[in-house]
């Protein structure tokens, strides 16, 4: 039975934008669904997983962990220390500017940890290992401004104002499957709470950044029980299931989550909620360079595919042949 489409709400312009993004969303999900099965098997190889349900086809019950060792050790050697790239002055008058920018880059590298509590070396290690496992990895690199209330609840301070770097789960990267690189558009998906988006509204200068949040609030409030949209309905985490754990994202009845997707284009950013048929943000690209703020790493490139050949794939094919 075909899945029922949500009722699309908003102005005529918002509805048109929604359907543009929804068609991209459906096309990317079709491509992603094929890849996830392959990624699950790669995760099993990386974690030396031996199933205990009787489906193990080999007589040996000892797993050779060389897949994990090869990927982990390469990342450890590559990112053992903080990168030491520096700006070099080309003319005599550029010396002072180069020194200032080197100090600024060094500060921003360390300061980015404040936003999510994860050091930059750890983020790049995840990027590198995901690239080796799946053939490619992606991260969102944009400017982050956050204002917080301190003291008696009436004082607001600019808590963070600078560049950030967020590695994205490959299963939530909805790329344009028509190209072998990031072209035209790319969608990044996450599960967020209304409080997180409303917080941006409360501290934004001028008009609110996100709109139509009342539609999401009303829809979530109609659910008597449950925590909103569950991530496990979109994709099942093989890493959690290997350890016998459950994915609890979307099961908190106090802080309910919903699927939130942002489509990044060269000229605009469009955020929407696929399940609820509403556009939550539609703004011009705020960056003067006019580029999509998503960074991609690719392992061995393949002409037609945005994902390259992973380091695991030759080993995986050999295992299946045995």
């Amino acid at each position: 039975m075909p899945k029922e489409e949500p009722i699309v709400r908003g102005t005529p312009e918002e509805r048109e934008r929604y359907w543009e993004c929804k068609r991209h969303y459906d096309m990317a999900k079709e491509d992603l669904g094929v890849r996830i099965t392959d990624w699950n098997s790669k995760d099993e190889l990386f974690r030396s997983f031996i199933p205990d349900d009787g489906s193990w086809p080999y007589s040996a019950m000892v797993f050779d962990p060389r897949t994990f060792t090869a990927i982990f050790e390469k990342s450890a050697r590559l990112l053992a220390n903080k990168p030491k790239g520096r700006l070099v002055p080309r003319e005599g008058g550029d010396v002072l500017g180069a020194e200032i920018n080197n100090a600024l880059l060094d500060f921003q590298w360390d300061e980015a940890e404040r936003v999510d509590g994860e050091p930059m070396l750890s983020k790049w290690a995840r990027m590198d290992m995901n690239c080796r496992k799946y053939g490619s990895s992606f991260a969102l690199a944009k400017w982050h401004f956050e204002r917080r209330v301190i003291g008696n609840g009436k004082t607001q301070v600019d808590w963070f104002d600078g560049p950030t770097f967020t590695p994205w789960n490959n299963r939530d990267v909805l790329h344009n499957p028509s190209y072998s690189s990031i072209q035209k558009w790319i969608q990044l998906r996450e599960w967020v709470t209304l409080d997180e988006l409303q917080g941006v509204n409360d501290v934004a200068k001028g008009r609110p950044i996100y709109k139509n949040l009342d539609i999401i609030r009303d829809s979530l409030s109609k659910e008597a029980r449950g925590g909103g949209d569950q991530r496990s309905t979109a994709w099942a985490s093989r890493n959690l299931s290997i350890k016998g754990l459950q994915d609890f994202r979307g099961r908190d009845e106090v802080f309910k989550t919903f699927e939130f997707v942002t489509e990044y284009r060269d000229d605009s950013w469009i955020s929407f909620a696929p399940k609820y048929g509403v556009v939550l943000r539609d703004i011009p690209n705020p960056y003067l360079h006019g580029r999509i703020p998503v960074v991609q790493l690719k392992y061995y490139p393949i002409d037609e595919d945005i994902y390259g050949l992973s380091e695991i794939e030759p080993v995986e094919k050999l295992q299946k042949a045995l």
Side-chain angles (χ1 to χ4, degrees):
M1 183 176 179
K3 186 177 179 180
E4 184 179 353
E5 292 287 354
I7 299 175
V8 181
R9 287 166 283 190
T11 65
E13 293 78 10
E14 290 173 351
R15 292 198 295 269
E16 181 179 356
R17 279 295 217 186
Y18 171 83
W19 283 118
E20 288 179 8
C21 296
K22 184 61 165 58
R23 284 191 287 268
H24 291 164
Y25 173 84
D26 291 338
M27 182 169 62
K29 277 189 64 178
E30 182 179 350
D31 180 84
L32 186 66
V34 177
R35 298 180 188 273
I36 285 180
T37 302
D38 177 60
W39 294 344
N40 288 342
S41 65
K42 287 179 168 58
D43 285 336
E44 292 173 358
L45 281 170
F46 180 72
R47 300 186 63 144
S48 304
F49 174 67
I50 298 179
D52 56 3
D53 58 1
S55 61
W56 183 251
Y58 312 108
S59 58
M61 295 301 292
V62 178
F63 207 110
D64 186 349
R66 69 181 66 191
T67 302
F68 170 83
T69 303
I71 293 177
F72 184 80
E73 291 298 330
K74 285 182 180 179
S75 295
R77 290 195 297 269
L78 182 64
L79 297 165
N81 298 298
K82 181 178 177 180
K84 298 295 183 180
R86 299 186 63 81
L87 298 176
V88 178
R90 300 186 63 179
E91 299 177 1
D94 297 336
V95 175
L96 181 59
E99 290 297 326
I100 293 175
N101 280 287
N102 282 325
L104 179 62
L105 289 173
D106 188 64
F107 171 78
Q108 290 176 341
W109 174 277
D110 296 328
E111 184 73 357
E113 181 180 347
R114 292 180 56 204
V115 177
D116 48 22
E118 183 179 6
M120 283 289 290
L121 272 178
S122 174
K123 295 178 181 180
W124 273 107
R126 282 202 289 134
M127 281 281 290
D128 182 66
M129 287 193 289
N130 283 343
C131 180
R132 296 179 192 277
K133 281 197 298 180
Y134 306 131
S136 195
S137 58
F138 301 84
L140 179 64
K142 66 176 185 178
W143 198 271
H144 181 81
F145 174 77
E146 185 173 348
R147 181 174 294 169
R148 290 191 175 183
V149 179
I150 62 172
N152 57 6
K154 298 181 179 180
T155 304
Q156 292 188 349
V157 297
D158 293 349
W159 184 78
F160 189 90
D161 190 5
T164 56
F165 180 83
T166 307
W168 220 261
N169 191 313
N170 285 60
R171 292 163 175 83
D172 285 326
V173 176
L174 300 164
H175 62 271
N176 186 347
S178 302
Y179 296 90
S180 59
S181 60
I182 300 175
Q183 298 286 338
K184 308 300 182 184
W185 56 268
I186 188 171
Q187 295 182 355
L188 300 184
R189 173 173 59 183
E190 53 188 321
W191 276 259
V192 302
T193 65
L194 271 175
D195 290 341
E196 293 170 2
L197 299 186
Q198 189 62 52
V200 176
N201 276 359
D202 292 340
V203 302
K205 299 177 181 179
R207 62 181 183 178
I209 294 178
Y210 295 106
K211 56 187 177 181
N212 296 327
L213 293 181
D214 55 322
I215 297 176
I216 306 295
R217 183 181 297 105
D218 292 342
S219 299
L220 292 176
S221 64
K222 292 177 182 177
E223 300 179 7
R225 297 186 60 82
D229 298 348
Q230 295 187 19
R231 182 171 57 187
S232 58
T233 60
W235 52 270
S237 173
R238 191 69 184 112
N239 285 309
L240 289 177
S241 63
I242 284 174
K243 300 182 67 175
L245 301 175
Q246 301 180 47
D247 188 351
F248 285 91
R249 181 66 65 87
R251 295 174 60 179
D252 189 334
E253 297 184 10
V254 177
F255 298 100
K256 295 185 177 183
T257 61
F258 67 97
E259 184 181 1
F260 176 80
V261 182
T262 298
E263 177 170 307
Y264 294 95
R265 303 180 183 180
D266 291 327
D267 60 348
S268 60
W269 297 358
I270 309 159
S271 300
F272 67 106
K275 180 179 176 180
Y276 303 102
V278 63
V279 169
L280 301 173
R281 176 178 64 171
D282 186 359
I283 61 173
N285 186 342
Y287 300 143
L288 296 178
H289 56 60
R291 300 175 63 186
I292 296 172
V294 176
V295 178
Q296 178 187 9
L297 287 182
K298 185 184 293 188
Y299 209 47
Y300 296 111
I302 299 174
D303 289 342
E304 300 84 7
D305 193 2
I306 192 171
Y307 277 81
L309 179 68
S310 77
E311 191 164 329
I312 294 180
E313 189 164 337
V315 179
E316 185 182 25
K317 301 300 183 185
L318 175 62
Q319 182 199 47
K320 291 180 179 179
L322 296 175

